Amino acid sequence: MSDKNKFETNAIRTQIERSQFLEHSVPLYLTSSFVFEDAEDMRASFAEEKDRPIYSRYANPNTSEFIEKVCQMEGAEDGFAFASGMAAVFSTFAALLNSGDHVVSARNIFGSTHSLFMNFFPKWNISHSYFKIDGLENIENLIQPNTKILYAESPTNPGVDVLDLEKLGTIAKKHNLIFIVDNCFATPYLQQPLKFGADLVIHSGTKLMDGQGRVLAGITVGGRELIDTIYRFSRITGPSLSPFNAWILSKSLETLAVRVDRHCENALKLATFLEGHPKVQWVKYPFLKSHPAYAIAKKQMKAGGCVVAFEIRGGLAEGKRFFDAIKVLSLSANLGDSRSIVTHPASTTHSKLTSAERAETGITDGMVRISVGLEHIDDIIGDINQALG
Ligand SMILES: *Cc1c(COP(=O)(O)O)cnc(C)c1O
């Protein structure tokens, strides 16, 4: 595929080799293994002298197509596809870190990633330090001789904070750290972290990449050497993406640009509406001028993404009442779906934390996260307006 083509064209025209039937749409290769011509073919395949699939835990034509599309989009050399976003996050860390290593990460990260740092990595003597997103100048004080990875998300889940990727990339380079960005909220259509110095980019394909709430998936892309380390670990430990889900995702990526354009257009309209609503205390959306990192968002993103966070006046009780009054939109924990989704983190995903712990990551009791979907914007705003009462 020519690099001269634009994003939308590459998303559609990246195609694996056709079979003898010259099918137009890529077929689904539901096969666990692949056959050998003879003993020499088998030897050469296992010796990796040939670039061909052997076993679907290692590689499969459908997962290879998905990986190639994402690599094209992110400007990456290579990648590995996982059964979920968390499988990608865990396997990437586990492949690269040794016992005794240390990670420096933003505190504002996906809940399960936070849980990995807190509850599981200590088992393998892997430690971490968190930096505050409004204190990037503090990061260098947290770096230790055993620090190996600098980790961040932007925009963050669920608070839609934006971190300066270029600044983080510069710090990582100076201290020889592997800089990893979870780019799930932006998608490669809106933001390509490798351009700002990231070494690896992780996605949950479950969100906007599929975009229709059907499959769980994850992917890590980046430079060939790091990906090879991740590949060697993952083909043994077995978190690979299923060919069926990869086939769904490759099709979904063909429409990523048009879908994400509309998600962003709807989200900005909703955010603007909420900003003027008397029951709303604050609204956070990367492309609203009132966002604390608006200038950074404008610099590193093409548009603001699909998630809007806002605070209802009246705290936890009013948040629950609003949630119950929603009629059209879905009450769910997912995001990046064609269906708009309303989440109240304080009473659901973050209910196990105390108010003070929630506040540390910017989650207030009346905070609502809306993943703005592809319904008509008048109906989205209409439902939220009536629920605000
Ligand atoms: C959802 C999500 C993940 C985890 O992805 P799964 O596919 O649910 O495992 C990781 N990071 C971010 C930012 C997410 O939103």
Side-chain angles (χ1 to χ4, degrees), residues 84-86 110 153 157 182 184-185 204 206-207 217:
S84 71
M86 281 318 298
F110 185 62
E153 271 172 37
N157 186 0
D182 181 334
C184 167
F185 263 44
S204 164
T206 315
K207 314 293 170 55

Side-chain angles (χ1 to χ4, degrees), residues 83-383:
S84 71
M86 281 318 298
V89 171
F90 174 72
S91 304
T92 300
F93 280 118
L96 299 174
L97 293 172
N98 294 314
S99 175
D101 284 344
H102 174 254
V103 178
V104 171
S105 168
R107 170 62 188 91
N108 302 35
I109 47 171
F110 185 62
S112 299
T113 309
H114 167 63
S115 187
L116 210 54
F117 286 145
M118 299 297 289
N119 305 326
F120 295 96
F121 282 165
K123 290 204 319 181
W124 300 295
N125 192 26
I126 291 166
S127 57
H128 70 277
S129 302
Y130 281 139
F131 63 87
K132 289 210 167 117
I133 51 154
D134 55 0
L136 300 196
E137 58 286 347
N138 241 337
I139 292 177
E140 297 196 88
N141 300 331
L142 301 173
I143 297 171
Q144 307 171 4
N146 59 339
T147 306
K148 195 154 180 199
I149 289 174
L150 178 65
Y151 187 77
E153 271 172 37
S154 185
T156 63
N157 186 0
V160 240
D161 297 299
V162 171
L163 282 76
D164 191 329
L165 296 179
E166 196 175 2
K167 231 181 226 174
L168 293 173
T170 306
I171 296 169
K173 198 170 189 116
K174 183 174 159 198
H175 294 272
N176 204 19
L177 307 179
I178 303 169
F179 178 30
I180 305 179
V181 176
D182 181 334
N183 199 29
C184 167
F185 263 44
T187 81
Y189 177 60
L190 299 180
Q191 170 177 284
Q192 292 113 34
L194 297 180
K195 282 189 193 158
F196 302 107
D199 298 295
L200 292 168
V201 174
I202 296 180
H203 284 281
S204 164
T206 315
K207 314 293 170 55
L208 285 161
M209 278 193 176
D210 171 36
Q212 288 143 91
R214 299 167 297 187
V215 300
L216 286 171
I219 187 164
T220 302
V221 300
R224 193 149 281 135
E225 230 172 278
L226 288 173
I227 292 296
D228 191 60
T229 305
I230 295 164
Y231 165 72
R232 306 259 152 228
F233 177 80
S234 303
R235 72 176 214 170
I236 297 305
T237 53
S240 326
L241 181 63
S242 85
F244 181 78
N245 287 359
W247 178 79
I248 295 260
L249 283 155
S250 294
K251 277 287 165 205
S252 294
L253 288 180
E254 294 188 7
T255 59
L256 183 73
V258 283
R259 286 187 289 105
V260 171
D261 272 340
R262 182 63 68 84
H263 276 288
C264 295
E265 189 188 317
N266 282 354
L268 183 59
K269 282 182 184 161
L270 175 68
T272 306
F273 162 80
L274 287 169
E275 227 175 14
H277 199 287
K279 291 246 169 104
V280 173
Q281 197 161 342
W282 53 256
V283 184
K284 226 150 119 202
Y285 182 68
F287 268 44
L288 274 186
K289 285 207 178 71
S290 58
H291 191 288
Y294 172 72
I296 297 163
K298 278 278 184 183
K299 183 183 81 174
Q300 65 194 25
M301 297 174 77
K302 186 182 164 84
C306 72
V307 177
V308 177
F310 70 98
E311 170 86 7
I312 299 185
R313 290 184 197 280
L316 199 57
E318 200 47 30
K320 284 183 172 165
R321 196 206 55 74
F322 168 82
F323 212 62
D324 281 339
I326 289 287
K327 290 194 174 118
V328 179
L329 311 192
S330 310
L331 311 180
S332 182
N334 197 15
L335 65 96
D337 194 305
S338 56
R339 301 171 179 210
S340 295
I341 293 170
V342 184
T343 312
H344 182 224
S347 68
T348 56
T349 48
H350 293 69
S351 60
K352 289 195 191 77
L353 304 182
T354 63
S355 257
E357 285 171 329
R358 281 196 290 270
E360 250 177 61
T361 55
I363 298 166
T364 45
D365 286 347
M367 181 180 134
V368 175
R369 185 191 78 186
I370 301 194
S371 168
V372 184
L374 304 179
E375 302 94 338
H376 196 286
I377 184 61
D378 293 352
D379 296 325
I380 297 172
I381 289 179
D383 194 28

